[in-house]
Amino acid sequence: MHYKDVLTLIEVVGVLAFSMTGIFEARRLKMDIVGVYSLAMITAFGGGTVRDLFLQRHPLFWIQNWPYDAAILILSLISVLILKQIRSKHNKALVMVVTVFDALGVGLFSVLGAEYSLEVYPGNYFISVLMGVVTGCFGGVIRDIVGNQVPSVFKKSQLYATCSLAGCVMYVLLAWSGLPQVVSLSLSAGVVFAVRMLAVRYDVKLPV
């Protein structure tokens, strides 16, 4: 698979994963279909939009790739119908599903943001790491603000932004070492996902 195809695949899966977390959160807040679609869009596109604005990448990725918007609309409609049939006894399973989707989205978007930053500013690894964390986390920040909550990334809770940071640092180190980009992207996204899931499983938090 060509390198650019890998980036596109990462973006598509990341968009779908994050949109699902937005859909679940919107339903938890008892929003109607307009709210569900809006929160799904915000979660899926928030971090990437901030990244594109900072890096002056135009048009914004979700405008250039309008099928993402259509796919999220269809996903929102289908999910609302399915979630209506799920009763409270399945809540724990739903929480785990949302956690998995969220961890996947954070991992994929974090390394994607770091890579796009390196394309614009080659060799500027510090900015690359920061841009990766912004891309991976900012959609969730906006989602929580819209839901009238303190963003989870800013609260003393299970590791979140730290997972993104670890993956982005790993990615720039692997990129600097000359390892093939596809391998670097896959390994780094996997690290973010694994660390996030372990943090949830064992309730790992920052000491301060």
Side-chain angles (χ1 to χ4, degrees):
M1 185 180 288
H2 190 271
Y3 166 64
K4 290 296 183 182
D5 294 332
V6 173
L7 291 182
T8 300
L9 178 61
I10 289 175
E11 188 169 81
V12 169
V13 177
V15 164
L16 294 177
F18 264 155
S19 65
M20 286 304 301
T21 70
I23 289 169
F24 285 125
E25 178 64 12
R27 291 305 294 170
R28 188 185 72 80
L29 296 172
K30 303 186 185 306
M31 293 184 178
D32 61 14
I33 185 59
V34 175
V36 170
Y37 183 50
S38 299
L39 210 59
M41 293 270 285
I42 287 169
T43 311
F45 300 146
T49 297
V50 174
R51 173 201 67 211
D52 286 354
L53 291 174
F54 283 168
L55 297 179
Q56 297 183 2
R57 299 176 75 244
H58 299 289
L60 300 178
F61 81 105
W62 57 273
I63 295 176
Q64 185 177 26
N65 300 290
W66 65 265
Y68 292 169
D69 311 349
I72 292 177
L73 176 58
I74 295 171
L75 191 61
S76 298
L77 291 169
I78 294 174
S79 298
V80 166
L81 294 175
I82 292 174
L83 290 175
K84 278 185 177 180
Q85 310 304 318
I86 298 178
R87 298 181 181 178
S88 59
K89 66 179 181 180
H90 297 293
N91 277 351
K92 288 185 178 179
L94 267 180
V95 169
M96 181 51 64
V97 169
V98 174
T99 300
V100 170
F101 276 127
D102 193 54
L104 182 62
V106 172
L108 293 173
F109 265 32
S110 294
V111 298
L112 195 64
E115 166 57 22
Y116 283 158
S117 181
L118 285 178
E119 289 181 0
V120 177
Y121 301 110
N124 197 332
Y125 296 113
F126 184 75
I127 293 300
S128 174
V129 169
L130 292 180
M131 202 61 63
V133 175
V134 167
T135 307
C137 299
F138 211 79
V141 170
I142 303 174
R143 176 196 65 209
D144 290 346
I145 291 173
V146 171
N148 198 31
Q149 304 176 75
V150 175
S152 57
V153 71
F154 298 146
K155 296 188 291 188
K156 188 174 181 180
S157 57
Q158 295 153 345
L159 299 183
Y160 194 91
T162 307
C163 306
S164 174
L165 178 65
C168 292
V169 169
M170 180 176 179
Y171 178 70
V172 298
L173 288 174
L174 293 177
W176 175 77
S177 71
L179 200 66
Q181 289 170 312
V182 173
V183 177
S184 300
L185 288 165
S186 302
L187 289 176
S188 303
V191 164
V192 178
F193 179 81
V195 174
R196 172 59 182 161
M197 293 306 296
L198 287 171
V200 172
R201 173 65 179 81
Y202 296 105
D203 195 27
V204 181
K205 302 175 183 178
L206 291 176
V208 291

